[in-house]
Amino acid sequence: MLKLLLLLCVLFILNAAWSVGRKMYKAQRHLARQRSEKPAQISSITEHTVTEQEQQVHQVDAYELELFDDVAQLFFQRQVHIENRTQAEQLQQEVLQKMPMHSGTQIRQMDLGEWSIFWNFYDQSLEYYVGRYGIFYAHVDRFEEEHRQEIRTDLLHSDCA
């Protein structure tokens, strides 16, 4: 009887070892299969991302580039003359609404009470700068040419004094 009980224990241990070994083998095989599929997935994801980026580059239509330049030209023609920083946000939003959808903007505060509003669209930019010596406009168009306009307020203030 003791031999039979010992034999059953050995068979039970062998069966448990066999089950654990088989599960370990399956797990390793599954991990190896996933590793071999990931580079294929990564390469397809990378190709998909590159294709999307190429499409985004081509989705910038010429009319959007022209629109940004036209808005900048209108801004120059308007001869905006705002020295009050509190009115800057209103001007910022007013001009931004006319620009292409993916245009960015920010108001920068500098030393000595100087500030500027900066709009950009890819390589194009428009800046309205209020400083100690006047108001300056700067625009980089779609051909990467820079246009500037300046209103000297120091002369205006000295005439008033």
Side-chain angles (χ1 to χ4, degrees):
M1 186 74 168
L2 184 62
K3 287 183 181 181
L4 183 62
L5 188 59
L6 194 57
L7 182 64
L8 283 174
C9 284
V10 169
L11 287 177
F12 181 72
I13 290 173
L14 287 176
N15 188 21
W18 171 258
S19 296
V20 169
R22 189 176 63 188
K23 287 186 180 195
M24 288 175 55
Y25 174 74
K26 284 183 178 181
Q28 287 177 349
R29 209 172 86 200
H30 180 71
L31 287 174
R33 192 177 317 145
Q34 279 186 338
R35 287 182 190 142
S36 66
E37 289 176 1
K38 277 188 181 178
Q41 288 176 349
I42 289 173
S43 65
S44 68
I45 289 171
T46 305
E47 290 172 6
H48 183 67
T49 304
V50 169
T51 306
E52 282 181 3
Q53 289 174 349
E54 289 173 357
Q55 288 175 351
Q56 288 176 354
V57 169
H58 296 296
Q59 286 179 355
V60 178
D61 293 326
Y63 78 89
E64 289 181 308
L65 299 172
E66 290 176 31
L67 176 62
F68 189 90
D69 287 342
D70 291 343
V71 170
Q73 186 178 16
L74 289 172
F75 186 77
F76 273 58
Q77 290 173 358
R78 268 181 59 187
Q79 294 287 320
V80 176
H81 190 275
I82 295 176
E83 292 184 38
N84 188 352
R85 169 76 166 78
T86 57
Q87 294 174 334
E89 291 180 16
Q90 182 181 357
L91 175 65
Q92 177 189 27
Q93 290 303 317
E94 183 181 321
V95 173
L96 184 63
Q97 288 175 356
K98 297 175 185 175
M99 292 186 168
M101 186 171 81
H102 296 292
S103 298
T105 184
Q106 67 180 18
I107 297 178
R108 298 184 283 194
Q109 185 69 42
M110 290 162 250
D111 295 337
L112 304 172
E114 299 178 341
W115 56 271
S116 72
I117 305 173
F118 184 79
W119 297 271
N120 67 314
F121 182 71
Y122 294 96
D123 293 333
Q124 297 171 282
S125 66
L126 173 64
E127 183 173 21
Y128 177 77
Y129 179 85
V130 177
R132 294 177 70 185
Y133 300 108
I135 297 173
F136 304 92
Y137 305 152
H139 168 58
V140 177
D141 65 13
R142 65 184 179 274
F143 305 113
E144 297 180 10
E145 295 177 19
E146 185 174 11
H147 309 278
R148 291 179 169 258
Q149 188 172 348
E150 172 181 347
I151 301 172
R152 303 280 299 196
T153 57
D154 61 340
L155 297 176
L156 296 173
H157 293 311
S158 64
D159 290 340
C160 295

